[in-house]
């Protein structure tokens, strides 16, 4: 376990929660891309999510990926996917447990698509922090119109450092 003290570089909240979203992404059942999301309020994690098949449904590894089979490009034809996006799963997890998320922040490894964006806005979230861009230009416009702060987290080296420290003592 990392020790504090002189020379210890404690991660900031954005780095910490983005690293947690990266860990959540490892639970994906998607064959194309792993995405993780963490919903936070008052520096406390309220819910997490990852992209994958609904509870009880076959995973893509078992059922196959129709989007891959048809060559559907990223950012298009969301309805042709058997999985739910990480942000939607995190919102659903919060709802299932009765956890209010209005006013929260959402940390996600990939910029939300326009479908997730609308759910994030309607859930009352106020800030979105993402790492990788997603080819869906509508979400940024909707976030801006709705007053939701949407910003890219650029310090990938910091995330690698945090995750490296976390596993160093295992």
């Amino acid at each position: 376990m990392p020790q504090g003290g002189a020379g210890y570089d404690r991660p900031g909240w954005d780095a910490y929660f983005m690293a947690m979203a990266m860990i959540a992404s490892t639970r994906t059942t998607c064959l194309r891309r792993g995405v993780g999301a963490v919903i936070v309020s008052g520096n406390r994690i309220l819910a997490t999510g990852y992209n994958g098949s609904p509870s009880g449904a076959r995973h893509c590894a078992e059922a196959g990926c129709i989007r891959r089979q048809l060559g559907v490009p990223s950012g298009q034809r969301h309805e042709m996917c058997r999985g739910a996006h990480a942000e939607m799963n995190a919102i659903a997890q919060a709802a299932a447990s009765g956890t209010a998320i209005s006013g929260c922040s959402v940390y996600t490894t990939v910029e939300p698509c326009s479908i997730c964006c609308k759910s994030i806005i309607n859930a009352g979230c106020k800030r979105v922090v993402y790492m990788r861009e997603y080819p869906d230009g509508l979400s940024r416009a909707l976030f801006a119109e709705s007053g939701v702060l949407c910003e890219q987290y650029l310090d990938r080296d910091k995330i690698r450092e945090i995750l490296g420290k976390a596993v160093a003592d295992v």
Side-chain angles (χ1 to χ4, degrees):
M1 177 178 253
Q3 299 296 313
Y8 176 66
D9 185 21
R10 186 174 181 208
W13 289 115
D14 283 353
Y16 173 74
F17 292 126
M18 190 58 71
M20 298 298 280
M22 290 296 296
I23 291 169
S25 76
T26 65
R27 291 280 306 154
T28 186
T29 64
C30 180
L31 301 174
R32 292 175 58 150
R33 173 190 351 230
V35 180
V38 177
I39 298 177
V40 175
S41 182
N43 292 331
R44 303 221 185 271
I45 295 172
L46 303 178
T48 63
Y50 53 87
N51 58 326
S53 303
S55 296
R58 292 184 302 152
H59 293 182
C60 299
E62 300 170 79
C65 176
I66 192 166
R67 291 171 53 85
R68 180 184 274 177
Q69 293 165 3
L70 297 176
V72 176
S74 181
Q76 298 178 17
R77 305 294 313 266
H78 300 289
E79 77 281 1
M80 293 184 69
C81 179
R82 67 184 294 110
H85 288 183
E87 303 90 338
M88 293 289 251
N89 278 329
I91 292 168
Q93 183 188 70
S97 67
T99 303
I101 60 172
S102 183
C104 73
S105 295
V106 178
Y107 290 82
T108 182
T109 58
V110 177
E111 181 178 13
C113 72
S114 57
I115 295 168
C116 290
C117 166
K118 291 178 255 187
S119 292
I120 289 167
I121 292 166
N122 285 342
C125 303
K126 296 300 179 197
R127 181 175 181 238
V128 174
V129 181
Y130 66 92
M131 191 174 302
R132 293 182 195 90
E133 292 181 330
Y134 189 73
D136 182 344
L138 180 58
S139 63
R140 287 186 198 165
L142 289 172
F143 281 138
E145 288 174 27
S146 301
V148 175
L149 179 62
C150 184
E151 53 194 309
Q152 187 173 17
Y153 183 87
L154 297 172
D155 194 353
R156 292 183 186 184
D157 289 337
K158 187 64 172 176
I159 302 305
R160 288 184 194 99
E161 177 188 330
I162 291 168
L163 296 175
K165 283 181 182 179
V167 299
D169 294 321
V170 173

